[in-house]
Structures are given as structure tokens and as C-alpha cells.
Amino acid sequence: MKFYPCRRLKGQITIPGDKSISHRAVMFGSIARGTTEIHHFLQGADCLSTISCFRQMGIQIENNGSSVLVHGKGLRGLMPPENILDCGNSGTTIRLISGILAAQPFTSTLTGDASIQKRPMKRIIAPLSQMGAQIRSLHDNGCAPLEIIGSKLHAAHYLSPVASAQVKSAVLLAGLYGDGETRVTEPYVSRNHTELMLGRFGADIRTKDTTAILLPAKELYGQKILVPGDISSAAFFIAAGLLVPNSEILIQNVGVNPTRSGILKVCRDMGADLTLLNENLESGEPAADILVKSSSLHGTVIQGALIPTLIDELPVIAAMACFAEGQTIIRDAAELKIKESNRIETMVRNLSAMGADVEETEDGMIIRGGKHLHGALIDSRADHRIAMTFAVISCLADGETEIADAECVQISYPGFYEDLRRLATM
Ligand code: S3P
């Protein structure tokens, strides 16, 4: 797909529903009693993979476009799937479902696309095995396909070496079926949507510093869930609005949970003109409208506890750093190497092709801003966040930018290019 520079971005936009929250609403709804009603559900391919997996386990799910009804059958109501469960491109689907399947009275097999079959699953196999689960990587390489023989699970206190909400959530979901209190301690707090939503479904769950603590549940109960806009998707419009001169964008009802909204802090540290309006808790998660105005940015350092709060936004933050004055350092972000693509390598290679001054480090990048970027052929590696990042850069780069596998944005934001075009004045 080909992209060209634009003069400015103006208007209002409603961002599709949060991907993490949409997945969890379907999963928790499926193992709750009664109907869960989900509004502003993300109709991206990843969340549709989650719906398809639970349908295959006998859960009736009505998908009416923007709203979804999940007719849950309780903690012990899932049926053995007849086929292999296909998680597509979705790390959240495969890792979180594993925690649930580990405790079911049946055997199941999980797989996904080529990218998913390369992503590390030992990070969930290890803690779940500690709880008594029987999970086998069928190719014996620590990756999917995974065979899960449902077992009786014990409680555990898992000290996670990584700050990962997928790992934490897999252990907590298994803990629902455990025989005592399950704890997960992380080096830094990762996104806490599981903790917030499980509490609403009736689980006994609390948080102390970087530890989540859960008691086994007798039953969860269906809920009405209003999904806020996904800040990880809004990030592309935040970046575009800040970078393209004379722009002003109002991004409506975006989730700004502090465990997710590190990008707002980084933008402000870089000198951005961002205003939060209409702050509310209507969805059970903090949300707000974000008013973005073009700003001149300067470099910053991004590291430590901030990293898990903006992990999916680091590609587009690296893009902003290219247009900022001075140097930006991203460190402690080795997790980027094992996302949908190796996002450090993919960003450095493609940014360099456009003329940026960017250096790959072991756990991040060093970007010296202010170089003039020109159009190039971008290899997105079929990674949705990479494709969207370079569509944003194309608004500012000279000439034509061509993005290979651009349609991969359907994973998390099916209408992304249309929304970007609508706001752009050519
Ligand atoms: C997610 C957690 C993060 C994030 C992913 C979604 C989730 O992954 O990158 O896009 O919904 O829990 P990790 O838990 O591996 O950091």
C-alpha cells in the first residue's frame, strides 16, 4: 500500500475498543454464569480468534458488530473442543486461555499463525506446571502448538522474571481453579485489566505493590462491560497529531488506565501539548478524551517501570523521537524482541531505510532526532503496530512510502487507514 505526506490532521475520532479488555471480557464472560454484554468490542482479528476458541468449547457468543453477548456457562461449563484451537496472531489469546485450559477436565491443543508459533510459551508453561498443569510444546521448542491435559491445580506464589500481563493473567486464571491463595509478583506492575475485571465478575482479588493476590472462585457472574477506546491504537493519532504541523485532533473516550498510559507521560516529557478532557470511570477503567495539538518535541529517556506501561507504543514513540530535537534513549525493553515481530530490529531497519539516525542496542534503541526522512519500501513483517507506525511517518516523510503487508492492521484496527485519511488534508 502506498502513502504520501499530508499537510495537517484535523477533526475528531473515536478509536476502536481496547484489545486487552475485549479479549478478557469474552474469556471471563465464557467462564461466568449468565450473560455478559460487551459494548464497543474490538472487531479486530485477534479478538475474533478469542471468540472462535470459546465457541469451539460450546459457548454461545452473539456478535452483533459493535456489541457482543457471551452466554457463559460457569467456571466448569466449557466442553472439550473437537478441533485444535486456532489463536491466529494473538499472544493474549493463547497465553490467557492456557491458564483456563490447564484446569479443565479435558485435553486440548492450541496453535496459531507462523508468528505465534515462534513466540515463547515457556513463560506460561513454567508457572502453570508449578501449579500442577500438564502442558507440552508439541515440537519441543517451547513454542506452540501446545497440548494441555487438564489437571487438578494447586495454588502458587509465582515470582515472574518479566513484567508481563499475559503471564500474570495466565497464572491468575489458573488460580481461579486452585486450592488456595495464588500470588503473582512482577518486577514492575504490568497492565492490570485482569485484576480490575475479575473483581467485577466477583472474584476475590487484590493487589499489593507489584503482587496480585487471588483466591479460588466458586463462581463468576456475567457483567455488562463498556470497552473504552484502545490507547495503543490512539497512540498513532497522538503521534501524528503532535508531529504534523498545524494539526488538532480530539480522540474520544480512550482508556487511560495508569498501567497502560505511559505514552502520555513520555509525550509530555518530550514537550507535547496534550489535554485530557471529560475524564470518567464509566467503563470501570479510567477513560478520557485526548486533545492533541502539533508540538515541537525534544528527546527523552524511557526505561524501568515505565516500559510495561507503554510496551506496545514503543514503535510509534521511536517514530516521534526521529522528529524530536536531540537524543532519545529507550532501554530495559528487550521484551520488544519477542512481540509480533522483533520490534527493535524491525524499527531500526525500516527507520534507517528512511534516513533516520537510529542505533539498535541490546534492550532498546538510541535515536538522534532531526534527520529529514524520505519515503522508502517498508517491510512491516506483517506486524500491525509496525505498519501503523510507518503510515504515521509517511505523513511527514518526503515522497512515497510503500508498506508491505499493510493489511495486517486488521489484527487490532481494521479501519485504521480510512480513519487516518479522513483526518488528513493532502
Ligand atoms: C497484553 C499484554 C502485553 C502486550 C500485549 C497485550 C495483554 O504483552 O504487549 O499486546 O492483553 O495482556 P506481555 O504480557 O507479553 O507484555
mmCIF file of all heavy atoms in Angstrom, residues 47-85:
data_model
loop_
_atom_site.group_PDB
_atom_site.id
_atom_site.type_symbol
_atom_site.label_atom_id
_atom_site.label_comp_id
_atom_site.label_asym_id
_atom_site.label_seq_id
_atom_site.Cartn_x
_atom_site.Cartn_y
_atom_site.Cartn_z
ATOM 1 N N CYS A 47 -9.202 -10.449 18.553
ATOM 2 C CA CYS A 47 -10.326 -10.680 19.472
ATOM 3 C C CYS A 47 -11.314 -11.671 18.864
ATOM 4 O O CYS A 47 -11.967 -12.435 19.590
ATOM 5 C CB CYS A 47 -11.002 -9.361 19.824
ATOM 6 S SG CYS A 47 -9.852 -8.257 20.663
ATOM 7 N N LEU A 48 -11.409 -11.697 17.533
ATOM 8 C CA LEU A 48 -12.284 -12.693 16.890
ATOM 9 C C LEU A 48 -11.707 -14.095 17.091
ATOM 10 O O LEU A 48 -12.451 -15.074 17.197
ATOM 11 C CB LEU A 48 -12.461 -12.371 15.400
ATOM 12 C CG LEU A 48 -13.135 -11.012 15.119
ATOM 13 C CD1 LEU A 48 -13.265 -10.774 13.609
ATOM 14 C CD2 LEU A 48 -14.509 -10.898 15.784
ATOM 15 N N SER A 49 -10.388 -14.212 17.184
ATOM 16 C CA SER A 49 -9.782 -15.519 17.494
ATOM 17 C C SER A 49 -10.236 -16.000 18.870
ATOM 18 O O SER A 49 -10.522 -17.183 19.066
ATOM 19 C CB SER A 49 -8.248 -15.439 17.488
ATOM 20 O OG SER A 49 -7.765 -15.188 16.190
ATOM 21 N N THR A 50 -10.289 -15.075 19.824
ATOM 22 C CA THR A 50 -10.742 -15.463 21.176
ATOM 23 C C THR A 50 -12.194 -15.934 21.132
ATOM 24 O O THR A 50 -12.547 -16.977 21.711
ATOM 25 C CB THR A 50 -10.567 -14.278 22.158
ATOM 26 O OG1 THR A 50 -9.176 -14.045 22.311
ATOM 27 C CG2 THR A 50 -11.169 -14.563 23.515
ATOM 28 N N ILE A 51 -13.044 -15.204 20.417
ATOM 29 C CA ILE A 51 -14.456 -15.618 20.298
ATOM 30 C C ILE A 51 -14.530 -17.014 19.696
ATOM 31 O O ILE A 51 -15.236 -17.901 20.199
ATOM 32 C CB ILE A 51 -15.245 -14.612 19.420
ATOM 33 C CG1 ILE A 51 -15.445 -13.298 20.178
ATOM 34 C CG2 ILE A 51 -16.593 -15.202 18.988
ATOM 35 C CD1 ILE A 51 -16.375 -12.302 19.497
ATOM 36 N N SER A 52 -13.769 -17.239 18.625
ATOM 37 C CA SER A 52 -13.845 -18.527 17.935
ATOM 38 C C SER A 52 -13.398 -19.682 18.847
ATOM 39 O O SER A 52 -14.000 -20.753 18.844
ATOM 40 C CB SER A 52 -13.017 -18.402 16.646
ATOM 41 O OG SER A 52 -12.359 -19.566 16.354
ATOM 42 N N CYS A 53 -12.355 -19.467 19.655
ATOM 43 C CA CYS A 53 -11.903 -20.528 20.569
ATOM 44 C C CYS A 53 -13.009 -20.909 21.562
ATOM 45 O O CYS A 53 -13.253 -22.091 21.810
ATOM 46 C CB CYS A 53 -10.667 -20.083 21.342
ATOM 47 S SG CYS A 53 -9.187 -20.018 20.313
ATOM 48 N N PHE A 54 -13.682 -19.908 22.132
ATOM 49 C CA PHE A 54 -14.707 -20.240 23.137
ATOM 50 C C PHE A 54 -15.957 -20.832 22.496
ATOM 51 O O PHE A 54 -16.613 -21.684 23.085
ATOM 52 C CB PHE A 54 -15.002 -19.024 24.030
ATOM 53 C CG PHE A 54 -13.930 -18.863 25.072
ATOM 54 C CD1 PHE A 54 -12.856 -18.020 24.858
ATOM 55 C CD2 PHE A 54 -13.954 -19.628 26.235
ATOM 56 C CE1 PHE A 54 -11.828 -17.911 25.786
ATOM 57 C CE2 PHE A 54 -12.940 -19.527 27.181
ATOM 58 C CZ PHE A 54 -11.862 -18.666 26.955
ATOM 59 N N ARG A 55 -16.262 -20.393 21.261
ATOM 60 C CA ARG A 55 -17.385 -21.046 20.558
ATOM 61 C C ARG A 55 -17.080 -22.528 20.380
ATOM 62 O O ARG A 55 -17.964 -23.369 20.523
ATOM 63 C CB ARG A 55 -17.603 -20.393 19.194
ATOM 64 C CG ARG A 55 -18.383 -19.095 19.283
ATOM 65 C CD ARG A 55 -18.647 -18.552 17.893
ATOM 66 N NE ARG A 55 -19.490 -17.360 17.949
ATOM 67 C CZ ARG A 55 -19.436 -16.375 17.055
ATOM 68 N NH1 ARG A 55 -18.585 -16.439 16.037
ATOM 69 N NH2 ARG A 55 -20.226 -15.336 17.177
ATOM 70 N N GLN A 56 -15.831 -22.833 20.079
ATOM 71 C CA GLN A 56 -15.468 -24.244 19.878
ATOM 72 C C GLN A 56 -15.546 -25.047 21.162
ATOM 73 O O GLN A 56 -15.504 -26.275 21.125
ATOM 74 C CB GLN A 56 -14.049 -24.345 19.328
ATOM 75 C CG GLN A 56 -13.969 -24.071 17.843
ATOM 76 C CD GLN A 56 -12.630 -24.492 17.313
ATOM 77 O OE1 GLN A 56 -12.272 -25.658 17.345
ATOM 78 N NE2 GLN A 56 -11.863 -23.520 16.845
ATOM 79 N N MET A 57 -15.619 -24.349 22.296
ATOM 80 C CA MET A 57 -15.765 -25.061 23.574
ATOM 81 C C MET A 57 -17.205 -24.946 24.082
ATOM 82 O O MET A 57 -17.463 -25.034 25.280
ATOM 83 C CB MET A 57 -14.757 -24.524 24.581
ATOM 84 C CG MET A 57 -13.335 -24.900 24.148
ATOM 85 S SD MET A 57 -12.088 -24.554 25.385
ATOM 86 C CE MET A 57 -11.848 -22.797 25.176
ATOM 87 N N GLY A 58 -18.136 -24.726 23.142
ATOM 88 C CA GLY A 58 -19.562 -24.810 23.468
ATOM 89 C C GLY A 58 -20.185 -23.543 24.003
ATOM 90 O O GLY A 58 -21.338 -23.569 24.458
ATOM 91 N N ILE A 59 -19.474 -22.413 23.966
ATOM 92 C CA ILE A 59 -20.059 -21.171 24.478
ATOM 93 C C ILE A 59 -20.774 -20.453 23.333
ATOM 94 O O ILE A 59 -20.192 -20.240 22.265
ATOM 95 C CB ILE A 59 -18.972 -20.244 25.080
ATOM 96 C CG1 ILE A 59 -18.202 -20.959 26.196
ATOM 97 C CG2 ILE A 59 -19.600 -18.943 25.596
ATOM 98 C CD1 ILE A 59 -19.047 -21.417 27.371
ATOM 99 N N GLN A 60 -22.032 -20.098 23.577
ATOM 100 C CA GLN A 60 -22.787 -19.374 22.559
ATOM 101 C C GLN A 60 -22.423 -17.889 22.663
ATOM 102 O O GLN A 60 -22.573 -17.265 23.723
ATOM 103 C CB GLN A 60 -24.276 -19.590 22.795
ATOM 104 C CG GLN A 60 -25.127 -19.190 21.607
ATOM 105 C CD GLN A 60 -26.557 -18.896 22.030
ATOM 106 O OE1 GLN A 60 -27.058 -19.434 23.018
ATOM 107 N NE2 GLN A 60 -27.203 -18.018 21.279
ATOM 108 N N ILE A 61 -21.898 -17.334 21.572
ATOM 109 C CA ILE A 61 -21.492 -15.922 21.558
ATOM 110 C C ILE A 61 -22.161 -15.253 20.362
ATOM 111 O O ILE A 61 -21.993 -15.687 19.233
ATOM 112 C CB ILE A 61 -19.950 -15.796 21.471
ATOM 113 C CG1 ILE A 61 -19.302 -16.507 22.666
ATOM 114 C CG2 ILE A 61 -19.540 -14.318 21.423
ATOM 115 C CD1 ILE A 61 -17.789 -16.566 22.639
ATOM 116 N N GLU A 62 -22.980 -14.211 20.647
ATOM 117 C CA GLU A 62 -23.640 -13.464 19.570
ATOM 118 C C GLU A 62 -22.833 -12.208 19.304
ATOM 119 O O GLU A 62 -22.672 -11.377 20.210
ATOM 120 C CB GLU A 62 -25.044 -13.050 20.016
ATOM 121 C CG GLU A 62 -26.005 -14.205 20.249
ATOM 122 C CD GLU A 62 -27.314 -13.680 20.821
ATOM 123 O OE1 GLU A 62 -27.999 -12.890 20.139
ATOM 124 O OE2 GLU A 62 -27.622 -14.036 21.971
ATOM 125 N N ASN A 63 -22.338 -12.086 18.091
ATOM 126 C CA ASN A 63 -21.546 -10.902 17.735
ATOM 127 C C ASN A 63 -22.359 -10.031 16.791
ATOM 128 O O ASN A 63 -22.553 -10.364 15.634
ATOM 129 C CB ASN A 63 -20.233 -11.344 17.074
ATOM 130 C CG ASN A 63 -19.305 -10.164 16.832
ATOM 131 O OD1 ASN A 63 -19.706 -9.014 17.017
ATOM 132 N ND2 ASN A 63 -18.087 -10.453 16.422
ATOM 133 N N ASN A 64 -22.858 -8.900 17.329
ATOM 134 C CA ASN A 64 -23.733 -8.032 16.516
ATOM 135 C C ASN A 64 -22.987 -6.836 15.953
ATOM 136 O O ASN A 64 -23.552 -5.781 15.770
ATOM 137 C CB ASN A 64 -24.890 -7.504 17.376
ATOM 138 C CG ASN A 64 -25.540 -8.607 18.161
ATOM 139 O OD1 ASN A 64 -25.836 -9.658 17.607
ATOM 140 N ND2 ASN A 64 -25.734 -8.401 19.457
ATOM 141 N N GLY A 65 -21.696 -6.935 15.770
ATOM 142 C CA GLY A 65 -20.942 -5.791 15.266
ATOM 143 C C GLY A 65 -20.249 -5.116 16.411
ATOM 144 O O GLY A 65 -19.230 -5.589 16.876
ATOM 145 N N SER A 66 -20.836 -4.014 16.913
ATOM 146 C CA SER A 66 -20.096 -3.340 17.984
ATOM 147 C C SER A 66 -20.411 -3.935 19.355
ATOM 148 O O SER A 66 -19.662 -3.744 20.301
ATOM 149 C CB SER A 66 -20.351 -1.840 17.961
ATOM 150 O OG SER A 66 -21.487 -1.547 18.706
ATOM 151 N N SER A 67 -21.529 -4.667 19.486
ATOM 152 C CA SER A 67 -21.768 -5.299 20.789
ATOM 153 C C SER A 67 -21.769 -6.817 20.658
ATOM 154 O O SER A 67 -22.067 -7.367 19.605
ATOM 155 C CB SER A 67 -23.068 -4.801 21.407
ATOM 156 O OG SER A 67 -24.144 -5.289 20.659
ATOM 157 N N VAL A 68 -21.411 -7.451 21.764
ATOM 158 C CA VAL A 68 -21.256 -8.906 21.775
ATOM 159 C C VAL A 68 -21.944 -9.449 23.024
ATOM 160 O O VAL A 68 -21.814 -8.867 24.106
ATOM 161 C CB VAL A 68 -19.743 -9.269 21.782
ATOM 162 C CG1 VAL A 68 -19.526 -10.741 22.044
ATOM 163 C CG2 VAL A 68 -19.082 -8.866 20.461
ATOM 164 N N LEU A 69 -22.704 -10.543 22.858
ATOM 165 C CA LEU A 69 -23.311 -11.200 24.017
ATOM 166 C C LEU A 69 -22.654 -12.560 24.204
ATOM 167 O O LEU A 69 -22.625 -13.375 23.278
ATOM 168 C CB LEU A 69 -24.814 -11.414 23.782
ATOM 169 C CG LEU A 69 -25.696 -10.170 23.696
ATOM 170 C CD1 LEU A 69 -27.146 -10.578 23.415
ATOM 171 C CD2 LEU A 69 -25.612 -9.374 24.996
ATOM 172 N N VAL A 70 -22.135 -12.782 25.403
ATOM 173 C CA VAL A 70 -21.480 -14.057 25.708
ATOM 174 C C VAL A 70 -22.367 -14.797 26.705
ATOM 175 O O VAL A 70 -22.608 -14.300 27.809
ATOM 176 C CB VAL A 70 -20.084 -13.820 26.334
ATOM 177 C CG1 VAL A 70 -19.393 -15.140 26.620
ATOM 178 C CG2 VAL A 70 -19.224 -12.946 25.431
ATOM 179 N N HIS A 71 -22.874 -15.959 26.309
ATOM 180 C CA HIS A 71 -23.756 -16.723 27.210
ATOM 181 C C HIS A 71 -22.901 -17.717 27.981
ATOM 182 O O HIS A 71 -22.679 -18.845 27.549
ATOM 183 C CB HIS A 71 -24.861 -17.398 26.399
ATOM 184 C CG HIS A 71 -25.713 -16.399 25.656
ATOM 185 N ND1 HIS A 71 -26.649 -15.606 26.288
ATOM 186 C CD2 HIS A 71 -25.725 -16.014 24.350
ATOM 187 C CE1 HIS A 71 -27.226 -14.794 25.405
ATOM 188 N NE2 HIS A 71 -26.675 -15.031 24.225
ATOM 189 N N GLY A 72 -22.376 -17.237 29.110
ATOM 190 C CA GLY A 72 -21.427 -18.013 29.901
ATOM 191 C C GLY A 72 -22.058 -19.248 30.522
ATOM 192 O O GLY A 72 -23.273 -19.275 30.778
ATOM 193 N N LYS A 73 -21.225 -20.252 30.752
ATOM 194 C CA LYS A 73 -21.730 -21.496 31.346
ATOM 195 C C LYS A 73 -21.053 -21.834 32.675
ATOM 196 O O LYS A 73 -21.089 -22.982 33.109
ATOM 197 C CB LYS A 73 -21.547 -22.642 30.344
ATOM 198 C CG LYS A 73 -22.332 -22.379 29.037
ATOM 199 C CD LYS A 73 -22.902 -23.624 28.385
ATOM 200 C CE LYS A 73 -21.866 -24.513 27.817
ATOM 201 N NZ LYS A 73 -22.366 -25.549 26.917
ATOM 202 N N GLY A 74 -20.405 -20.836 33.260
ATOM 203 C CA GLY A 74 -19.812 -21.057 34.584
ATOM 204 C C GLY A 74 -18.393 -21.592 34.490
ATOM 205 O O GLY A 74 -17.920 -21.975 33.422
ATOM 206 N N LEU A 75 -17.742 -21.632 35.640
ATOM 207 C CA LEU A 75 -16.316 -21.998 35.699
ATOM 208 C C LEU A 75 -16.055 -23.395 35.152
ATOM 209 O O LEU A 75 -14.979 -23.676 34.643
ATOM 210 C CB LEU A 75 -15.827 -21.934 37.150
ATOM 211 C CG LEU A 75 -15.441 -20.556 37.682
ATOM 212 C CD1 LEU A 75 -15.211 -20.624 39.188
ATOM 213 C CD2 LEU A 75 -14.218 -20.010 36.973
ATOM 214 N N ARG A 76 -17.067 -24.284 35.304
ATOM 215 C CA ARG A 76 -16.849 -25.674 34.851
ATOM 216 C C ARG A 76 -17.757 -26.049 33.680
ATOM 217 O O ARG A 76 -18.069 -27.217 33.469
ATOM 218 C CB ARG A 76 -17.029 -26.629 36.044
ATOM 219 C CG ARG A 76 -15.895 -26.415 37.037
ATOM 220 C CD ARG A 76 -16.053 -27.063 38.378
ATOM 221 N NE ARG A 76 -15.377 -26.257 39.382
ATOM 222 C CZ ARG A 76 -14.067 -26.187 39.544
ATOM 223 N NH1 ARG A 76 -13.262 -26.903 38.798
ATOM 224 N NH2 ARG A 76 -13.531 -25.394 40.460
ATOM 225 N N GLY A 77 -18.137 -25.045 32.866
ATOM 226 C CA GLY A 77 -19.110 -25.301 31.792
ATOM 227 C C GLY A 77 -18.514 -25.492 30.406
ATOM 228 O O GLY A 77 -19.254 -25.739 29.458
ATOM 229 N N LEU A 78 -17.192 -25.356 30.253
ATOM 230 C CA LEU A 78 -16.613 -25.499 28.907
ATOM 231 C C LEU A 78 -16.684 -26.955 28.458
ATOM 232 O O LEU A 78 -16.560 -27.872 29.265
ATOM 233 C CB LEU A 78 -15.141 -25.033 28.888
ATOM 234 C CG LEU A 78 -14.881 -23.564 29.244
ATOM 235 C CD1 LEU A 78 -13.373 -23.278 29.230
ATOM 236 C CD2 LEU A 78 -15.604 -22.624 28.280
ATOM 237 N N MET A 79 -16.869 -27.148 27.145
ATOM 238 C CA MET A 79 -16.909 -28.501 26.567
ATOM 239 C C MET A 79 -15.571 -28.769 25.879
ATOM 240 O O MET A 79 -14.934 -27.848 25.390
ATOM 241 C CB MET A 79 -18.002 -28.573 25.488
ATOM 242 C CG MET A 79 -19.361 -28.116 25.924
ATOM 243 S SD MET A 79 -20.157 -29.382 26.888
ATOM 244 C CE MET A 79 -20.478 -30.572 25.606
ATOM 245 N N PRO A 80 -15.170 -30.041 25.799
ATOM 246 C CA PRO A 80 -13.913 -30.342 25.095
ATOM 247 C C PRO A 80 -14.012 -29.916 23.626
ATOM 248 O O PRO A 80 -14.997 -30.243 22.966
ATOM 249 C CB PRO A 80 -13.779 -31.865 25.191
ATOM 250 C CG PRO A 80 -14.859 -32.338 26.090
ATOM 251 C CD PRO A 80 -15.842 -31.234 26.314
ATOM 252 N N PRO A 81 -13.048 -29.164 23.103
ATOM 253 C CA PRO A 81 -13.109 -28.771 21.694
ATOM 254 C C PRO A 81 -12.846 -29.977 20.798
ATOM 255 O O PRO A 81 -12.050 -30.849 21.134
ATOM 256 C CB PRO A 81 -11.973 -27.752 21.566
ATOM 257 C CG PRO A 81 -11.046 -28.054 22.695
ATOM 258 C CD PRO A 81 -11.858 -28.648 23.800
ATOM 259 N N GLU A 82 -13.546 -30.018 19.643
ATOM 260 C CA GLU A 82 -13.348 -31.158 18.732
ATOM 261 C C GLU A 82 -12.092 -30.991 17.907
ATOM 262 O O GLU A 82 -11.496 -31.964 17.460
ATOM 263 C CB GLU A 82 -14.570 -31.308 17.816
ATOM 264 C CG GLU A 82 -15.707 -31.994 18.545
ATOM 265 C CD GLU A 82 -16.961 -32.084 17.720
ATOM 266 O OE1 GLU A 82 -16.906 -31.834 16.501
ATOM 267 O OE2 GLU A 82 -18.006 -32.401 18.324
ATOM 268 N N ASN A 83 -11.709 -29.719 17.679
ATOM 269 C CA ASN A 83 -10.535 -29.458 16.837
ATOM 270 C C ASN A 83 -9.476 -28.695 17.613
ATOM 271 O O ASN A 83 -9.721 -28.234 18.730
ATOM 272 C CB ASN A 83 -10.949 -28.627 15.618
ATOM 273 C CG ASN A 83 -11.919 -29.395 14.754
ATOM 274 O OD1 ASN A 83 -11.647 -30.525 14.361
ATOM 275 N ND2 ASN A 83 -13.075 -28.797 14.501
ATOM 276 N N ILE A 84 -8.329 -28.536 16.955
ATOM 277 C CA ILE A 84 -7.258 -27.703 17.522
ATOM 278 C C ILE A 84 -7.776 -26.269 17.618
ATOM 279 O O ILE A 84 -8.435 -25.780 16.699
ATOM 280 C CB ILE A 84 -6.013 -27.770 16.611
ATOM 281 C CG1 ILE A 84 -5.443 -29.189 16.627
ATOM 282 C CG2 ILE A 84 -4.960 -26.757 17.032
ATOM 283 C CD1 ILE A 84 -4.258 -29.392 15.697
ATOM 284 N N LEU A 85 -7.490 -25.598 18.711
ATOM 285 C CA LEU A 85 -7.931 -24.206 18.876
ATOM 286 C C LEU A 85 -6.915 -23.292 18.204
ATOM 287 O O LEU A 85 -5.726 -23.323 18.542
ATOM 288 C CB LEU A 85 -8.067 -23.870 20.364
ATOM 289 C CG LEU A 85 -9.122 -24.683 21.127
ATOM 290 C CD1 LEU A 85 -9.009 -24.438 22.635
ATOM 291 C CD2 LEU A 85 -10.530 -24.344 20.636
#
